[in-house]
mmCIF file of all heavy atoms in Angstrom:
data_model
loop_
_atom_site.group_PDB
_atom_site.id
_atom_site.type_symbol
_atom_site.label_atom_id
_atom_site.label_comp_id
_atom_site.label_asym_id
_atom_site.label_seq_id
_atom_site.Cartn_x
_atom_site.Cartn_y
_atom_site.Cartn_z
ATOM 1 N N ASP A 337 -5.035 -15.856 -36.787
ATOM 2 C CA ASP A 337 -5.446 -15.209 -35.543
ATOM 3 C C ASP A 337 -6.420 -16.118 -34.800
ATOM 4 O O ASP A 337 -6.729 -17.220 -35.263
ATOM 5 C CB ASP A 337 -6.070 -13.834 -35.816
ATOM 6 C CG ASP A 337 -7.231 -13.888 -36.809
ATOM 7 O OD1 ASP A 337 -7.969 -14.897 -36.818
ATOM 8 O OD2 ASP A 337 -7.403 -12.930 -37.583
ATOM 9 N N SER A 338 -6.900 -15.629 -33.670
ATOM 10 C CA SER A 338 -7.760 -16.463 -32.830
ATOM 11 C C SER A 338 -9.056 -16.858 -33.539
ATOM 12 O O SER A 338 -9.500 -18.015 -33.450
ATOM 13 C CB SER A 338 -8.082 -15.726 -31.522
ATOM 14 O OG SER A 338 -6.912 -15.544 -30.759
ATOM 15 N N ASN A 339 -9.689 -15.915 -34.226
ATOM 16 C CA ASN A 339 -10.940 -16.236 -34.901
ATOM 17 C C ASN A 339 -10.748 -17.303 -35.965
ATOM 18 O O ASN A 339 -11.542 -18.245 -36.080
ATOM 19 C CB ASN A 339 -11.532 -14.972 -35.539
ATOM 20 C CG ASN A 339 -12.183 -14.063 -34.517
ATOM 21 O OD1 ASN A 339 -12.684 -14.522 -33.497
ATOM 22 N ND2 ASN A 339 -12.165 -12.770 -34.783
ATOM 23 N N SER A 340 -9.700 -17.167 -36.757
ATOM 24 C CA SER A 340 -9.463 -18.164 -37.806
ATOM 25 C C SER A 340 -9.012 -19.493 -37.212
ATOM 26 O O SER A 340 -9.264 -20.562 -37.784
ATOM 27 C CB SER A 340 -8.436 -17.655 -38.816
ATOM 28 O OG SER A 340 -7.212 -17.349 -38.204
ATOM 29 N N LEU A 341 -8.368 -19.466 -36.050
ATOM 30 C CA LEU A 341 -7.999 -20.711 -35.375
ATOM 31 C C LEU A 341 -9.253 -21.479 -34.985
ATOM 32 O O LEU A 341 -9.374 -22.690 -35.232
ATOM 33 C CB LEU A 341 -7.146 -20.409 -34.146
ATOM 34 C CG LEU A 341 -6.728 -21.606 -33.279
ATOM 35 C CD1 LEU A 341 -5.913 -22.601 -34.089
ATOM 36 C CD2 LEU A 341 -5.949 -21.139 -32.046
ATOM 37 N N PHE A 342 -10.177 -20.799 -34.372
ATOM 38 C CA PHE A 342 -11.444 -21.406 -33.967
ATOM 39 C C PHE A 342 -12.157 -22.014 -35.178
ATOM 40 O O PHE A 342 -12.597 -23.170 -35.159
ATOM 41 C CB PHE A 342 -12.313 -20.328 -33.315
ATOM 42 C CG PHE A 342 -13.596 -20.825 -32.695
ATOM 43 C CD1 PHE A 342 -13.628 -21.251 -31.380
ATOM 44 C CD2 PHE A 342 -14.772 -20.841 -33.434
ATOM 45 C CE1 PHE A 342 -14.812 -21.691 -30.800
ATOM 46 C CE2 PHE A 342 -15.965 -21.281 -32.863
ATOM 47 C CZ PHE A 342 -15.983 -21.702 -31.545
ATOM 48 N N ASP A 343 -12.256 -21.233 -36.260
ATOM 49 C CA ASP A 343 -12.964 -21.686 -37.455
ATOM 50 C C ASP A 343 -12.221 -22.816 -38.166
ATOM 51 O O ASP A 343 -12.847 -23.696 -38.758
ATOM 52 C CB ASP A 343 -13.185 -20.513 -38.412
ATOM 53 C CG ASP A 343 -14.143 -19.471 -37.851
ATOM 54 O OD1 ASP A 343 -14.965 -19.838 -36.986
ATOM 55 O OD2 ASP A 343 -14.063 -18.299 -38.255
ATOM 56 N N SER A 344 -10.884 -22.781 -38.117
ATOM 57 C CA SER A 344 -10.096 -23.825 -38.788
ATOM 58 C C SER A 344 -10.293 -25.176 -38.135
ATOM 59 O O SER A 344 -10.299 -26.213 -38.821
ATOM 60 C CB SER A 344 -8.609 -23.452 -38.779
ATOM 61 O OG SER A 344 -8.361 -22.323 -39.593
ATOM 62 N N VAL A 345 -10.468 -25.186 -36.822
ATOM 63 C CA VAL A 345 -10.706 -26.460 -36.133
ATOM 64 C C VAL A 345 -12.141 -26.922 -36.371
ATOM 65 O O VAL A 345 -12.395 -28.110 -36.599
ATOM 66 C CB VAL A 345 -10.395 -26.345 -34.631
ATOM 67 C CG1 VAL A 345 -10.705 -27.647 -33.915
ATOM 68 C CG2 VAL A 345 -8.928 -25.972 -34.423
ATOM 69 N N ARG A 346 -13.083 -26.006 -36.365
ATOM 70 C CA ARG A 346 -14.470 -26.379 -36.629
ATOM 71 C C ARG A 346 -14.630 -26.987 -38.022
ATOM 72 O O ARG A 346 -15.359 -27.956 -38.209
ATOM 73 C CB ARG A 346 -15.379 -25.155 -36.519
ATOM 74 C CG ARG A 346 -15.576 -24.628 -35.116
ATOM 75 C CD ARG A 346 -16.611 -23.521 -35.087
ATOM 76 N NE ARG A 346 -17.945 -24.027 -35.370
ATOM 77 C CZ ARG A 346 -19.018 -23.245 -35.533
ATOM 78 N NH1 ARG A 346 -18.903 -21.932 -35.450
ATOM 79 N NH2 ARG A 346 -20.191 -23.772 -35.781
ATOM 80 N N SER A 347 -13.929 -26.409 -39.006
ATOM 81 C CA SER A 347 -14.076 -26.857 -40.390
ATOM 82 C C SER A 347 -13.235 -28.087 -40.712
ATOM 83 O O SER A 347 -13.449 -28.732 -41.733
ATOM 84 C CB SER A 347 -13.701 -25.728 -41.346
ATOM 85 O OG SER A 347 -12.314 -25.416 -41.249
ATOM 86 N N GLY A 348 -12.243 -28.403 -39.861
ATOM 87 C CA GLY A 348 -11.397 -29.558 -40.104
ATOM 88 C C GLY A 348 -10.112 -29.245 -40.840
ATOM 89 O O GLY A 348 -9.352 -30.163 -41.156
ATOM 90 N N VAL A 349 -9.854 -27.959 -41.136
ATOM 91 C CA VAL A 349 -8.553 -27.599 -41.707
ATOM 92 C C VAL A 349 -7.450 -27.992 -40.725
ATOM 93 O O VAL A 349 -6.396 -28.492 -41.103
ATOM 94 C CB VAL A 349 -8.496 -26.087 -42.016
ATOM 95 C CG1 VAL A 349 -7.083 -25.670 -42.437
ATOM 96 C CG2 VAL A 349 -9.503 -25.733 -43.111
ATOM 97 N N LEU A 350 -7.700 -27.736 -39.456
ATOM 98 C CA LEU A 350 -6.900 -28.259 -38.352
ATOM 99 C C LEU A 350 -7.766 -29.243 -37.580
ATOM 100 O O LEU A 350 -8.991 -29.077 -37.506
ATOM 101 C CB LEU A 350 -6.455 -27.134 -37.423
ATOM 102 C CG LEU A 350 -5.435 -26.128 -37.950
ATOM 103 C CD1 LEU A 350 -5.425 -24.879 -37.069
ATOM 104 C CD2 LEU A 350 -4.045 -26.745 -38.002
#
Side-chain angles (χ1 to χ4, degrees):
D337 55 34
S338 295
N339 284 330
S340 59
L341 177 60
F342 187 89
D343 293 336
S344 293
V345 177
R346 289 186 69 187
S347 66
V349 172
L350 291 163

